[in-house]
């Protein structure tokens, strides 16, 4: 890390440096984005919460100190998802994401270019700030940050043209990349007008203090246009507002419980699965005691198919994929299928 750090401002390395979340306040303030067409152009390009000693704003993620700080928050958090640490992912997958997606280089140049990178921070002393939480929100409502490991930053409206659904997985043309996944139909993959969110993380040192709730509430109160209009909230900053209907998340299975606690709702029938083939075996799955478990047991541990038996969505809407629910229930009971992601939504109004 040190050699790479010395020569590159945003290196493509696994960044487990906890102290990177501390940055000079001057650098943080300089990284906030000022939106020239803001309806309140003379306001500061961030929001302060005096009582809590906090501030939040959209930063330029290519600022090296910011990229490293955000990378550190995300990388240290994802480390816990390794199965050797009791998490749900093989170490090799985690390390690929840590290197390619959430390294300082990834934060600065991959999804960050298509998203608003929000940072919540607290003042440590007169000159130092600590980044305590972050979230990436797609600027455009049609952006999908990732679609399998092979596509980043695609637009939902052109998904069928952008994505080669017939591509081979490797050298054998008979073995197709997309045969390894069961997804909703491309046209229905994303709910229209919802902003894709990713990288929603609270620093490990600050978990369990309701900070994620505070962050989310602040984001909605100060940046979600329709909610602000509905509640008569003034625009207190000179940054962008979020003009979509809500947030949309493609979430790892263990996240569903926490996201539901925060007010996100499951998008019914939008689950995706890995499909195992002789030529594409899936890595062994371990439970939190380290014992090997089957795909079926894994699916069941996240309530599938039971969660869909004899119930209807709490908030019925056209955004759910109700007609796909039977297919999800069938997949959940297919020994070759392993739950990959849930989708969740959060409505601004
Ligand atoms: C999920 C996360 C953002 C929550 O942040 P936090 O500030 O510690 O959470 P809060 O203290 O604000 O708690 C918010 C709610 O979530 C619940 N919650 C938090 N962590 C949880 C967990 N690991 N499992 C289940 N529920 C959890 C809390 O009980 C609380 O619900 P309640 O108010 O009804 O009791 C944080 O744990 C984190 O960064 N996790 C790793 C990354 C991640 O999973 N991100 C989510 C998907 S992008």
């Amino acid at each position: 890390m040190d050699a790479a750090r010395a020569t590159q401002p945003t290196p493509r390395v696994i960044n487990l440096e906890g102290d990177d979340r501390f940055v000079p306040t001057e650098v943080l303030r300089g990284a906030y984005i000022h939106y020239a067409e803001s309806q309140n152009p003379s306001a500061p390009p961030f929001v302060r919460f005096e009582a809590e000693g906090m501030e939040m704003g959209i930063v330029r993620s290519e600022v090296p100190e910011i990229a490293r700080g955000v990378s550190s928050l995300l990388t240290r958090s994802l480390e816990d998802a390794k199965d050797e640490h009791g998490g749900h992912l093989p170490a090799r997958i985690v390390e690929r994401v840590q290197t390619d997606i959430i390294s300082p280089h990834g934060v600065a140049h991959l999804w960050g270019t298509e998203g608003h990178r929000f940072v919540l921070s607290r003042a440590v002393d007169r000159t130092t700030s600590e980044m305590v939480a972050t979230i990436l929100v797609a600027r455009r409502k049609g952006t999908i940050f990732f679609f399998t490991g092979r596509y980043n930053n695609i637009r939902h409206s052109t998904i069928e043209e952008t994505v080669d659904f017939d591509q081979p997985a490797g050298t054998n043309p008979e073995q197709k990349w997309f045969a390894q996944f069961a997804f909703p139909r491309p046209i229905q993959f994303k709910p229209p007008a919802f902003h894709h969110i990713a990288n929603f993380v609270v620093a490990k040192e600050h978990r369990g203090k309701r900070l994620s709730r505070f962050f989310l509430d602040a984001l909605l109160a100060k940046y979600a246009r329709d909610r602000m209009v509905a509640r008569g909230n003034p625009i207190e900053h000179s940054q962008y507002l979020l003009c979509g209907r809500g947030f949309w998340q493609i979430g790892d299975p263990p996240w569903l419980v926490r996201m539901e606690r925060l007010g996100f709702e499951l998008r019914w029938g939008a689950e995706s699965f890995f499909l195992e083939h002789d030529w594409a075996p899936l890595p062994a799955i371990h439970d939190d005691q380290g014992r090997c478990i089957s795909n079926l047991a894994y699916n069941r541990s996240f309530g599938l198919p039971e969660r869909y038996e004899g119930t209807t969505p709490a908030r019925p809407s056209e955004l759910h994929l109700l007609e796909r629910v039977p297919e999800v229930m069938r997949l959940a009971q297919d020994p070759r299928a392993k739950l990959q992601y849930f989708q969740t939504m959060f409505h601004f109004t």
Side-chain angles (χ1 to χ4, degrees):
M1 174 74 199
D2 287 342
R5 181 188 287 253
T7 52
Q8 298 163 23
T10 55
R12 191 172 165 277
V13 293
I14 294 177
N15 181 18
L16 290 165
E17 302 281 338
D19 282 354
D20 276 358
R21 71 181 188 281
F22 296 97
V23 290
T25 303
E26 204 182 346
V27 170
L28 179 63
R29 295 268 169 86
Y32 290 129
I33 291 174
H34 178 264
Y35 177 48
E37 280 148 56
S38 162
Q39 290 175 44
N40 194 355
S42 59
F46 62 96
V47 180
R48 292 178 87 126
F49 304 94
E50 297 290 348
E52 292 81 8
M54 301 266 195
E55 67 185 49
M56 74 181 276
I58 306 170
V59 294
R60 279 185 289 124
S61 50
E62 71 277 16
V63 173
E65 291 89 340
I66 302 296
R68 289 202 294 263
V70 167
S71 167
S72 149
L73 289 182
L74 303 178
T75 305
R76 293 176 70 230
S77 176
L78 192 61
E79 190 70 6
D80 295 341
K82 284 187 177 172
D83 57 5
E84 67 205 38
H85 300 154
H88 65 292
L89 295 172
R92 128 185 109 68
I93 308 277
V94 168
E95 286 162 14
R96 183 189 78 78
V97 174
Q98 288 173 325
T99 308
D100 293 344
I101 315 255
I102 57 174
S103 63
H105 186 268
V107 168
H109 302 293
L110 189 58
W111 303 345
T113 59
E114 302 301 313
H116 294 308
R117 167 64 66 187
F118 286 90
V119 167
L120 178 72
S121 64
R122 70 173 189 102
V124 177
D125 56 36
R126 279 182 42 249
T127 57
T128 311
S129 294
E130 178 186 11
M131 299 193 229
V132 296
T134 185
I135 187 172
L136 185 69
V137 181
R139 284 164 206 257
R140 288 195 164 122
K141 290 163 288 189
T143 294
I144 300 173
F145 287 127
F146 60 94
F147 189 63
T148 78
R150 292 195 175 173
Y151 292 89
N152 292 293
N153 299 332
I154 62 172
R155 291 176 79 166
H156 190 210
S157 57
T158 52
I159 186 170
E160 308 247 25
E161 295 97 85
T162 314
V163 175
D164 176 3
F165 286 99
D166 198 41
Q167 67 188 283
T171 48
N172 183 340
E174 301 304 313
Q175 298 170 356
K176 304 292 187 192
W177 174 254
F178 281 98
Q180 301 174 93
F181 309 95
F183 286 128
R185 283 168 47 217
I187 186 87
Q188 296 180 316
F189 186 70
K190 178 183 178 300
F194 279 66
H195 297 267
H196 195 182
I197 60 159
N199 303 161
F200 178 40
V201 161
V202 169
K204 292 181 68 167
E205 288 74 7
H206 294 283
R207 301 257 169 98
K209 299 193 285 193
R210 313 210 127 210
L211 265 187
S212 69
R213 209 174 269 285
F214 176 80
F215 189 28
L216 195 59
D217 287 347
L219 206 57
L220 296 164
K222 313 291 182 187
Y223 287 87
R225 188 195 59 192
D226 287 358
R227 191 176 190 101
M228 294 167 68
V229 169
R231 302 193 175 183
N233 298 0
I235 301 172
E236 295 172 25
H237 57 79
S238 54
Q239 299 202 294
Y240 297 94
L241 294 180
L242 304 170
C243 58
R245 286 177 64 188
F247 293 134
W248 170 65
Q249 181 195 37
I250 305 174
D252 282 17
W255 300 348
L256 179 62
V257 178
R258 20 195 130 143
M259 299 316 285
E260 285 184 326
R261 286 265 183 95
L262 287 168
F264 283 67
E265 78 174 313
L266 174 70
R267 185 178 184 219
W268 280 45
E271 291 82 355
S272 55
F273 289 80
F274 291 111
L275 297 180
E276 198 154 23
H277 298 273
D278 297 341
W279 51 271
L282 291 173
I285 319 173
H286 301 106
D287 66 10
D288 48 14
Q289 316 290 324
R291 288 179 301 237
C292 261
I293 59 166
S294 66
N295 291 335
L296 294 182
Y298 183 80
N299 298 341
R300 234 180 352 257
S301 73
F302 297 108
L304 287 173
E306 293 79 9
R307 70 166 63 244
Y308 285 133
E309 279 162 6
T311 48
T312 52
R315 181 172 171 156
S317 83
E318 76 292 353
L319 302 169
H320 294 290
L321 304 181
L322 296 184
E323 69 292 348
R324 188 169 176 267
V325 168
E327 172 68 357
V328 167
M329 293 174 75
R330 187 193 67 72
L331 284 162
Q333 297 168 90
D334 177 341
R336 295 178 316 127
K338 176 190 171 193
L339 180 64
Q340 181 191 27
Y341 295 122
F342 284 107
Q343 293 189 7
T344 67
M345 303 177 291
F346 189 102
H347 298 256
F348 288 165
T349 55

